[in-house]
Amino acid sequence: MAHLITLINQYLLDGLSNFKGLLEKIGLKTKKVWSRTQKTGRLNHPSDDHSKVFLINSDEYNSLFSIPVSNPDVFISSLEWERIIESVPQEFILPNPNTLKTFEKFRGDFYDILFRTPVLNPKIFVDPQIWESIISNAPNDYILPNPLLEKIFKSMEADSYHSIFSTPIKSPQIFVDSEVWDTIKFSVPNNYLLPNPFTEITFKSMESGLYDLLFSTKTPTPNIFVDYKVWEPIKEILTRDFKIPNPKSIQIFEPMTADNYNSLFVSKVYNPEVLVDHQVLEQIKDKVPEEYLLPNPLIMEITSRKYIRKNNIQNT
C-alpha cells in the first residue's frame, strides 16, 4: 500500500498539478486575446435598423469552424452572428489551431504504438507525463495485449469448435473452457452436427415461408415456425387469389398516402406508411397556385445570408 501511495504521489498528483498549470496558461492567453479584440473597437453596437434582424440558417456561419457540422433545421439570430463575423479576423477559426496543437500530446491516439490493435479515440485525452513515463520504462517490443496471453486464450476461442455446428456463427470475443469442449468434441461422432439434420427436416414443414402466397407483401421470416396442422386447413379453404391485406383495401387507402402531396413541398420525403385526410389536402391543393411550395422560397431566401448581404449593399 505504501508503494502504491508513493507511485500516486510521484506520477498522478504531479501530472494533475502540471495539467492544471497548463490550463491556467491557456486561460490567461485567451483573456489577452479577448482584451486585444475589445481594444480594436471593431465590435459595433447594434443599430436600430430592424432589417438586419433575421433568423438565419446556422450553416451560413460554418466558415467560423474548423469542423463544420450541417444543421439545416437550426436557425439563429443574424443580429448577434453578423456582429461576431464582422468583428473577428478573417482567418479566425474555432477551435483555435494553437489550442488543438497544445492538446495533441494529450490525445489517447498518441500512444497507439503500445497496442496491437489501435482503436481511434480522438475524444479521449490522457496525462502525457504519466504515459510518457510508461513508454520510457516499457521495453521497445512491449505491446498490449501480451502475445503470450493471446496464445493461451487461442485454444479457448469459441470459433475453434465450428465443426460441431451446421451453421457456424463467427464469435471471436466469446471464450469457452477448452477442457470441457475438447471432451465434447472428441466424444461425438465425426459427422455429428448441431442442430441435428433430422430435427431440421422435422421443422421444414413448419416454416412460415411456405405460406407467403397468402400475403401481398412477402417478408422473409426464416426464424418463425407455425403449426402446419392449423395453417394447411386455412390455406385449403381460401380462394387462390386470396391475399392479406385485401387489394381492395389497399386501393381505398391509396389516395390517402402522404406521398401523393409531395408536390407541395421543396424537400420531398418518402412516407409510404403515413396516411392523411385526402379530402382536406385535395381542397388545399386545388386552392393554392400551381407553383406553391412549402417552405416558401422567399422565406428561405430571407433566412439565408444572401438577403442580409443584398440589404447591406443597398444601404452602403
Side-chain angles (χ1 to χ4, degrees):
M1 179 58 75
H3 181 62
L4 180 61
I5 293 170
T6 304
L7 286 174
I8 290 171
N9 289 331
Q10 184 179 354
Y11 294 113
L12 187 58
L13 295 180
D14 286 348
L16 288 172
S17 175
N18 291 326
F19 184 63
K20 183 181 176 185
L22 183 61
L23 287 177
E24 287 175 352
K25 287 180 183 178
I26 292 170
L28 187 61
K29 286 183 180 178
T30 305
K31 286 180 182 177
K32 288 181 179 178
V33 169
W34 275 109
S35 176
R36 286 199 296 271
T37 305
Q38 287 175 338
K39 286 178 183 177
T40 57
R42 291 168 66 185
L43 188 61
N44 298 323
H45 292 286
S47 66
D48 294 330
D49 186 4
H50 294 290
S51 63
K52 281 191 176 183
V53 185
F54 295 109
L55 289 176
I56 305 299
N57 191 308
S58 61
D59 289 355
E60 297 293 334
Y61 300 98
N62 269 346
S63 60
L64 289 171
F65 302 93
S66 59
I67 305 173
V69 179
S70 181
N71 292 295
D73 298 326
V74 176
F75 294 84
I76 54 180
S77 171
S78 64
L79 183 64
E80 285 81 6
W81 279 86
E82 284 299 313
R83 286 165 57 199
I84 291 170
I85 209 165
E86 287 170 7
S87 63
V88 298
Q90 285 186 352
E91 67 277 6
F92 182 82
I93 200 162
L94 290 169
N96 189 313
N98 291 331
T99 305
L100 289 175
K101 193 174 180 181
T102 303
F103 278 97
E104 187 64 33
K105 272 202 169 186
F106 288 79
R107 285 183 55 175
D109 297 346
F110 195 76
Y111 304 95
D112 275 351
I113 54 170
L114 289 173
F115 301 92
R116 181 182 294 280
T117 308
V119 179
L120 192 65
N121 289 303
K123 295 180 181 179
I124 293 179
F125 293 86
V126 297
D127 188 334
Q129 289 199 330
I130 292 176
W131 280 85
E132 285 291 337
S133 176
I134 291 170
I135 283 181
S136 60
N137 288 320
N140 290 335
D141 58 349
Y142 184 80
I143 201 159
L144 289 170
N146 190 309
L148 182 60
L149 283 176
E150 285 189 307
K151 190 176 180 181
I152 292 169
F153 278 101
K154 187 69 179 172
S155 61
M156 300 170 70
E157 286 182 357
D159 294 348
S160 301
Y161 304 95
H162 272 173
S163 59
I164 297 175
F165 300 93
S166 57
T167 310
I169 299 171
K170 195 167 178 60
S171 47
Q173 295 177 346
I174 295 177
F175 295 87
V176 296
D177 188 334
S178 57
E179 290 186 5
V180 174
W181 277 87
D182 276 343
T183 305
I184 295 170
K185 188 176 181 180
F186 297 123
S187 298
V188 297
N190 290 333
N191 57 348
Y192 183 83
L193 284 174
L194 287 171
N196 190 306
F198 292 108
T199 307
E200 288 188 301
I201 292 169
T202 305
F203 278 96
K204 188 70 178 174
S205 60
M206 301 169 71
E207 286 182 356
S208 58
L210 295 172
Y211 304 97
D212 277 350
L213 293 172
L214 294 174
F215 300 92
S216 54
T217 305
K218 296 170 180 60
T219 305
T221 52
N223 298 320
I224 295 178
F225 297 88
V226 296
D227 188 340
Y228 69 95
K229 290 181 181 178
V230 174
W231 278 84
E232 279 301 320
I234 294 172
K235 191 176 177 182
E236 288 172 6
I237 292 170
L238 300 172
T239 57
R240 286 187 179 181
D241 58 348
F242 182 84
K243 297 283 180 186
I244 298 174
N246 192 314
K248 289 184 179 178
S249 299
I250 294 175
Q251 195 174 359
I252 291 168
F253 281 102
E254 182 60 35
M256 301 185 188
T257 56
D259 294 342
N260 290 328
Y261 303 96
N262 263 344
S263 60
L264 292 172
F265 301 92
V266 173
S267 300
K268 292 158 180 59
V269 181
Y270 186 59
N271 290 302
E273 296 173 358
V274 176
L275 301 177
V276 296
D277 188 336
H278 66 293
Q279 290 185 332
V280 174
L281 275 160
E282 278 298 329
Q283 289 181 34
I284 294 171
K285 197 173 180 181
D286 292 340
K287 289 183 179 179
V288 297
E290 286 185 10
E291 67 279 6
Y292 183 83
L293 286 172
L294 287 171
N296 191 304
L298 179 60
I299 299 295
M300 292 180 73
E301 187 179 348
I302 289 172
T303 56
S304 72
R305 293 189 69 223
K306 293 177 186 175
Y307 191 85
I308 288 180
R309 287 195 289 265
K310 193 188 296 181
N311 198 42
N312 288 341
I313 292 168
Q314 289 175 356
N315 291 335
T316 55

PDB file of all heavy atoms in Angstrom, residues 245-261 272-278:
ATOM      1  N   PRO A 245     -52.772  -7.910 -46.958  1.00  0.00           N
ATOM      2  CA  PRO A 245     -54.092  -7.293 -46.860  1.00  0.00           C
ATOM      3  C   PRO A 245     -54.859  -7.375 -48.175  1.00  0.00           C
ATOM      4  O   PRO A 245     -54.261  -7.559 -49.231  1.00  0.00           O
ATOM      5  CB  PRO A 245     -53.772  -5.843 -46.491  1.00  0.00           C
ATOM      6  CG  PRO A 245     -52.412  -5.602 -47.045  1.00  0.00           C
ATOM      7  CD  PRO A 245     -51.687  -6.912 -46.927  1.00  0.00           C
ATOM      8  N   ASN A 246     -56.169  -7.207 -48.103  1.00  0.00           N
ATOM      9  CA  ASN A 246     -57.038  -7.265 -49.265  1.00  0.00           C
ATOM     10  C   ASN A 246     -56.658  -6.164 -50.264  1.00  0.00           C
ATOM     11  O   ASN A 246     -56.567  -4.995 -49.890  1.00  0.00           O
ATOM     12  CB  ASN A 246     -58.493  -7.090 -48.807  1.00  0.00           C
ATOM     13  CG  ASN A 246     -59.481  -7.416 -49.902  1.00  0.00           C
ATOM     14  OD1 ASN A 246     -59.319  -6.985 -51.041  1.00  0.00           O
ATOM     15  ND2 ASN A 246     -60.504  -8.163 -49.547  1.00  0.00           N
ATOM     16  N   PRO A 247     -56.394  -6.518 -51.546  1.00  0.00           N
ATOM     17  CA  PRO A 247     -56.023  -5.496 -52.549  1.00  0.00           C
ATOM     18  C   PRO A 247     -57.032  -4.352 -52.655  1.00  0.00           C
ATOM     19  O   PRO A 247     -56.652  -3.214 -52.934  1.00  0.00           O
ATOM     20  CB  PRO A 247     -55.961  -6.295 -53.852  1.00  0.00           C
ATOM     21  CG  PRO A 247     -55.673  -7.693 -53.421  1.00  0.00           C
ATOM     22  CD  PRO A 247     -56.380  -7.869 -52.111  1.00  0.00           C
ATOM     23  N   LYS A 248     -58.323  -4.650 -52.424  1.00  0.00           N
ATOM     24  CA  LYS A 248     -59.339  -3.594 -52.485  1.00  0.00           C
ATOM     25  C   LYS A 248     -59.157  -2.595 -51.342  1.00  0.00           C
ATOM     26  O   LYS A 248     -59.350  -1.390 -51.524  1.00  0.00           O
ATOM     27  CB  LYS A 248     -60.737  -4.215 -52.433  1.00  0.00           C
ATOM     28  CG  LYS A 248     -61.111  -4.969 -53.710  1.00  0.00           C
ATOM     29  CD  LYS A 248     -62.534  -5.483 -53.657  1.00  0.00           C
ATOM     30  CE  LYS A 248     -62.877  -6.214 -54.970  1.00  0.00           C
ATOM     31  NZ  LYS A 248     -64.249  -6.781 -54.932  1.00  0.00           N
ATOM     32  N   SER A 249     -58.755  -3.100 -50.178  1.00  0.00           N
ATOM     33  CA  SER A 249     -58.479  -2.197 -49.046  1.00  0.00           C
ATOM     34  C   SER A 249     -57.293  -1.287 -49.360  1.00  0.00           C
ATOM     35  O   SER A 249     -57.306  -0.095 -49.062  1.00  0.00           O
ATOM     36  CB  SER A 249     -58.181  -3.009 -47.778  1.00  0.00           C
ATOM     37  OG  SER A 249     -59.273  -3.805 -47.418  1.00  0.00           O
ATOM     38  N   ILE A 250     -56.263  -1.867 -49.999  1.00  0.00           N
ATOM     39  CA  ILE A 250     -55.089  -1.079 -50.397  1.00  0.00           C
ATOM     40  C   ILE A 250     -55.494   0.011 -51.380  1.00  0.00           C
ATOM     41  O   ILE A 250     -55.028   1.156 -51.303  1.00  0.00           O
ATOM     42  CB  ILE A 250     -54.006  -2.000 -51.014  1.00  0.00           C
ATOM     43  CG1 ILE A 250     -53.470  -2.959 -49.934  1.00  0.00           C
ATOM     44  CG2 ILE A 250     -52.866  -1.187 -51.607  1.00  0.00           C
ATOM     45  CD1 ILE A 250     -52.494  -3.991 -50.446  1.00  0.00           C
ATOM     46  N   GLN A 251     -56.380  -0.340 -52.313  1.00  0.00           N
ATOM     47  CA  GLN A 251     -56.846   0.614 -53.329  1.00  0.00           C
ATOM     48  C   GLN A 251     -57.612   1.769 -52.681  1.00  0.00           C
ATOM     49  O   GLN A 251     -57.491   2.922 -53.109  1.00  0.00           O
ATOM     50  CB  GLN A 251     -57.737  -0.120 -54.339  1.00  0.00           C
ATOM     51  CG  GLN A 251     -57.974   0.655 -55.612  1.00  0.00           C
ATOM     52  CD  GLN A 251     -58.736  -0.181 -56.634  1.00  0.00           C
ATOM     53  OE1 GLN A 251     -59.064  -1.343 -56.404  1.00  0.00           O
ATOM     54  NE2 GLN A 251     -59.023   0.425 -57.773  1.00  0.00           N
ATOM     55  N   ILE A 252     -58.400   1.471 -51.631  1.00  0.00           N
ATOM     56  CA  ILE A 252     -59.164   2.513 -50.933  1.00  0.00           C
ATOM     57  C   ILE A 252     -58.221   3.495 -50.235  1.00  0.00           C
ATOM     58  O   ILE A 252     -58.440   4.711 -50.240  1.00  0.00           O
ATOM     59  CB  ILE A 252     -60.133   1.866 -49.903  1.00  0.00           C
ATOM     60  CG1 ILE A 252     -61.242   1.103 -50.644  1.00  0.00           C
ATOM     61  CG2 ILE A 252     -60.726   2.923 -48.973  1.00  0.00           C
ATOM     62  CD1 ILE A 252     -62.073   0.211 -49.754  1.00  0.00           C
ATOM     63  N   PHE A 253     -57.154   2.964 -49.656  1.00  0.00           N
ATOM     64  CA  PHE A 253     -56.219   3.812 -48.909  1.00  0.00           C
ATOM     65  C   PHE A 253     -55.200   4.540 -49.803  1.00  0.00           C
ATOM     66  O   PHE A 253     -54.519   5.445 -49.327  1.00  0.00           O
ATOM     67  CB  PHE A 253     -55.462   2.971 -47.871  1.00  0.00           C
ATOM     68  CG  PHE A 253     -56.265   2.686 -46.632  1.00  0.00           C
ATOM     69  CD1 PHE A 253     -56.861   1.434 -46.441  1.00  0.00           C
ATOM     70  CD2 PHE A 253     -56.437   3.666 -45.664  1.00  0.00           C
ATOM     71  CE1 PHE A 253     -57.609   1.181 -45.302  1.00  0.00           C
ATOM     72  CE2 PHE A 253     -57.176   3.399 -44.519  1.00  0.00           C
ATOM     73  CZ  PHE A 253     -57.775   2.160 -44.337  1.00  0.00           C
ATOM     74  N   GLU A 254     -55.095   4.137 -51.061  1.00  0.00           N
ATOM     75  CA  GLU A 254     -54.097   4.720 -51.968  1.00  0.00           C
ATOM     76  C   GLU A 254     -54.168   6.253 -52.041  1.00  0.00           C
ATOM     77  O   GLU A 254     -53.139   6.937 -51.951  1.00  0.00           O
ATOM     78  CB  GLU A 254     -54.244   4.108 -53.363  1.00  0.00           C
ATOM     79  CG  GLU A 254     -53.218   4.599 -54.376  1.00  0.00           C
ATOM     80  CD  GLU A 254     -51.797   4.288 -53.959  1.00  0.00           C
ATOM     81  OE1 GLU A 254     -51.556   3.238 -53.340  1.00  0.00           O
ATOM     82  OE2 GLU A 254     -50.920   5.134 -54.238  1.00  0.00           O
ATOM     83  N   PRO A 255     -55.378   6.868 -52.214  1.00  0.00           N
ATOM     84  CA  PRO A 255     -55.449   8.345 -52.283  1.00  0.00           C
ATOM     85  C   PRO A 255     -55.055   9.033 -50.976  1.00  0.00           C
ATOM     86  O   PRO A 255     -54.809  10.232 -50.961  1.00  0.00           O
ATOM     87  CB  PRO A 255     -56.925   8.618 -52.609  1.00  0.00           C
ATOM     88  CG  PRO A 255     -57.489   7.325 -53.072  1.00  0.00           C
ATOM     89  CD  PRO A 255     -56.709   6.262 -52.398  1.00  0.00           C
ATOM     90  N   MET A 256     -55.020   8.280 -49.883  1.00  0.00           N
ATOM     91  CA  MET A 256     -54.715   8.872 -48.579  1.00  0.00           C
ATOM     92  C   MET A 256     -53.222   8.867 -48.249  1.00  0.00           C
ATOM     93  O   MET A 256     -52.820   9.413 -47.219  1.00  0.00           O
ATOM     94  CB  MET A 256     -55.466   8.111 -47.468  1.00  0.00           C
ATOM     95  CG  MET A 256     -56.956   8.110 -47.614  1.00  0.00           C
ATOM     96  SD  MET A 256     -57.732   7.309 -46.193  1.00  0.00           S
ATOM     97  CE  MET A 256     -59.430   7.233 -46.748  1.00  0.00           C
ATOM     98  N   THR A 257     -52.392   8.251 -49.084  1.00  0.00           N
ATOM     99  CA  THR A 257     -50.951   8.221 -48.787  1.00  0.00           C
ATOM    100  C   THR A 257     -50.361   9.622 -48.906  1.00  0.00           C
ATOM    101  O   THR A 257     -50.674  10.366 -49.838  1.00  0.00           O
ATOM    102  CB  THR A 257     -50.196   7.258 -49.728  1.00  0.00           C
ATOM    103  OG1 THR A 257     -50.441   7.637 -51.077  1.00  0.00           O
ATOM    104  CG2 THR A 257     -50.648   5.833 -49.508  1.00  0.00           C
ATOM    105  N   ALA A 258     -49.498   9.971 -47.952  1.00  0.00           N
ATOM    106  CA  ALA A 258     -48.915  11.320 -47.909  1.00  0.00           C
ATOM    107  C   ALA A 258     -48.077  11.625 -49.142  1.00  0.00           C
ATOM    108  O   ALA A 258     -47.947  12.786 -49.542  1.00  0.00           O
ATOM    109  CB  ALA A 258     -48.061  11.453 -46.650  1.00  0.00           C
ATOM    110  N   ASP A 259     -47.521  10.606 -49.771  1.00  0.00           N
ATOM    111  CA  ASP A 259     -46.648  10.821 -50.939  1.00  0.00           C
ATOM    112  C   ASP A 259     -47.382  11.455 -52.115  1.00  0.00           C
ATOM    113  O   ASP A 259     -46.749  12.036 -52.996  1.00  0.00           O
ATOM    114  CB  ASP A 259     -46.038   9.479 -51.383  1.00  0.00           C
ATOM    115  CG  ASP A 259     -45.096   8.912 -50.342  1.00  0.00           C
ATOM    116  OD1 ASP A 259     -44.655   9.686 -49.476  1.00  0.00           O
ATOM    117  OD2 ASP A 259     -44.819   7.703 -50.388  1.00  0.00           O
ATOM    118  N   ASN A 260     -48.703  11.355 -52.146  1.00  0.00           N
ATOM    119  CA  ASN A 260     -49.483  11.975 -53.231  1.00  0.00           C
ATOM    120  C   ASN A 260     -49.403  13.496 -53.195  1.00  0.00           C
ATOM    121  O   ASN A 260     -49.754  14.156 -54.178  1.00  0.00           O
ATOM    122  CB  ASN A 260     -50.958  11.555 -53.138  1.00  0.00           C
ATOM    123  CG  ASN A 260     -51.153  10.085 -53.496  1.00  0.00           C
ATOM    124  OD1 ASN A 260     -50.428   9.550 -54.329  1.00  0.00           O
ATOM    125  ND2 ASN A 260     -52.110   9.425 -52.864  1.00  0.00           N
ATOM    126  N   TYR A 261     -48.936  14.064 -52.080  1.00  0.00           N
ATOM    127  CA  TYR A 261     -48.931  15.519 -51.919  1.00  0.00           C
ATOM    128  C   TYR A 261     -47.509  16.069 -51.792  1.00  0.00           C
ATOM    129  O   TYR A 261     -47.308  17.180 -51.300  1.00  0.00           O
ATOM    130  CB  TYR A 261     -49.785  15.899 -50.702  1.00  0.00           C
ATOM    131  CG  TYR A 261     -51.201  15.366 -50.845  1.00  0.00           C
ATOM    132  CD1 TYR A 261     -51.560  14.152 -50.263  1.00  0.00           C
ATOM    133  CD2 TYR A 261     -52.137  16.027 -51.633  1.00  0.00           C
ATOM    134  CE1 TYR A 261     -52.839  13.631 -50.436  1.00  0.00           C
ATOM    135  CE2 TYR A 261     -53.419  15.509 -51.808  1.00  0.00           C
ATOM    136  CZ  TYR A 261     -53.763  14.306 -51.200  1.00  0.00           C
ATOM    137  OH  TYR A 261     -55.016  13.796 -51.390  1.00  0.00           O
ATOM    138  N   PRO A 272     -44.394   6.165 -47.258  1.00  0.00           N
ATOM    139  CA  PRO A 272     -45.468   5.275 -47.718  1.00  0.00           C
ATOM    140  C   PRO A 272     -46.402   4.808 -46.607  1.00  0.00           C
ATOM    141  O   PRO A 272     -47.525   4.390 -46.877  1.00  0.00           O
ATOM    142  CB  PRO A 272     -44.708   4.089 -48.328  1.00  0.00           C
ATOM    143  CG  PRO A 272     -43.389   4.089 -47.632  1.00  0.00           C
ATOM    144  CD  PRO A 272     -43.077   5.532 -47.361  1.00  0.00           C
ATOM    145  N   GLU A 273     -45.948   4.897 -45.356  1.00  0.00           N
ATOM    146  CA  GLU A 273     -46.768   4.409 -44.242  1.00  0.00           C
ATOM    147  C   GLU A 273     -47.591   5.514 -43.584  1.00  0.00           C
ATOM    148  O   GLU A 273     -48.348   5.256 -42.646  1.00  0.00           O
ATOM    149  CB  GLU A 273     -45.865   3.742 -43.196  1.00  0.00           C
ATOM    150  CG  GLU A 273     -45.161   2.496 -43.729  1.00  0.00           C
ATOM    151  CD  GLU A 273     -44.153   1.927 -42.757  1.00  0.00           C
ATOM    152  OE1 GLU A 273     -43.979   2.520 -41.678  1.00  0.00           O
ATOM    153  OE2 GLU A 273     -43.561   0.882 -43.077  1.00  0.00           O
ATOM    154  N   VAL A 274     -47.444   6.761 -44.067  1.00  0.00           N
ATOM    155  CA  VAL A 274     -48.197   7.879 -43.492  1.00  0.00           C
ATOM    156  C   VAL A 274     -49.445   8.137 -44.324  1.00  0.00           C
ATOM    157  O   VAL A 274     -49.373   8.309 -45.546  1.00  0.00           O
ATOM    158  CB  VAL A 274     -47.325   9.155 -43.423  1.00  0.00           C
ATOM    159  CG1 VAL A 274     -48.140  10.338 -42.913  1.00  0.00           C
ATOM    160  CG2 VAL A 274     -46.117   8.930 -42.521  1.00  0.00           C
ATOM    161  N   LEU A 275     -50.595   8.158 -43.657  1.00  0.00           N
ATOM    162  CA  LEU A 275     -51.867   8.413 -44.331  1.00  0.00           C
ATOM    163  C   LEU A 275     -52.430   9.747 -43.857  1.00  0.00           C
ATOM    164  O   LEU A 275     -52.282  10.107 -42.692  1.00  0.00           O
ATOM    165  CB  LEU A 275     -52.867   7.282 -44.045  1.00  0.00           C
ATOM    166  CG  LEU A 275     -52.441   5.873 -44.477  1.00  0.00           C
ATOM    167  CD1 LEU A 275     -53.494   4.861 -44.067  1.00  0.00           C
ATOM    168  CD2 LEU A 275     -52.202   5.794 -45.976  1.00  0.00           C
ATOM    169  N   VAL A 276     -53.051  10.488 -44.770  1.00  0.00           N
ATOM    170  CA  VAL A 276     -53.622  11.797 -44.453  1.00  0.00           C
ATOM    171  C   VAL A 276     -55.071  11.839 -44.908  1.00  0.00           C
ATOM    172  O   VAL A 276     -55.534  10.966 -45.660  1.00  0.00           O
ATOM    173  CB  VAL A 276     -52.812  12.919 -45.140  1.00  0.00           C
ATOM    174  CG1 VAL A 276     -51.397  12.971 -44.602  1.00  0.00           C
ATOM    175  CG2 VAL A 276     -52.812  12.749 -46.661  1.00  0.00           C
ATOM    176  N   ASP A 277     -55.792  12.865 -44.465  1.00  0.00           N
ATOM    177  CA  ASP A 277     -57.171  13.050 -44.915  1.00  0.00           C
ATOM    178  C   ASP A 277     -57.122  13.687 -46.305  1.00  0.00           C
ATOM    179  O   ASP A 277     -56.898  14.895 -46.437  1.00  0.00           O
ATOM    180  CB  ASP A 277     -57.918  13.941 -43.913  1.00  0.00           C
ATOM    181  CG  ASP A 277     -59.411  14.012 -44.220  1.00  0.00           C
ATOM    182  OD1 ASP A 277     -59.780  13.780 -45.393  1.00  0.00           O
ATOM    183  OD2 ASP A 277     -60.196  14.298 -43.309  1.00  0.00           O
ATOM    184  N   HIS A 278     -57.306  12.883 -47.339  1.00  0.00           N
ATOM    185  CA  HIS A 278     -57.135  13.380 -48.706  1.00  0.00           C
ATOM    186  C   HIS A 278     -58.190  14.417 -49.078  1.00  0.00           C
ATOM    187  O   HIS A 278     -57.954  15.265 -49.931  1.00  0.00           O
ATOM    188  CB  HIS A 278     -57.150  12.214 -49.703  1.00  0.00           C
ATOM    189  CG  HIS A 278     -58.454  11.496 -49.798  1.00  0.00           C
ATOM    190  ND1 HIS A 278     -58.972  10.754 -48.769  1.00  0.00           N
ATOM    191  CD2 HIS A 278     -59.351  11.417 -50.825  1.00  0.00           C
ATOM    192  CE1 HIS A 278     -60.137  10.239 -49.137  1.00  0.00           C
ATOM    193  NE2 HIS A 278     -60.386  10.615 -50.373  1.00  0.00           N
TER     194      HIS A 278
END
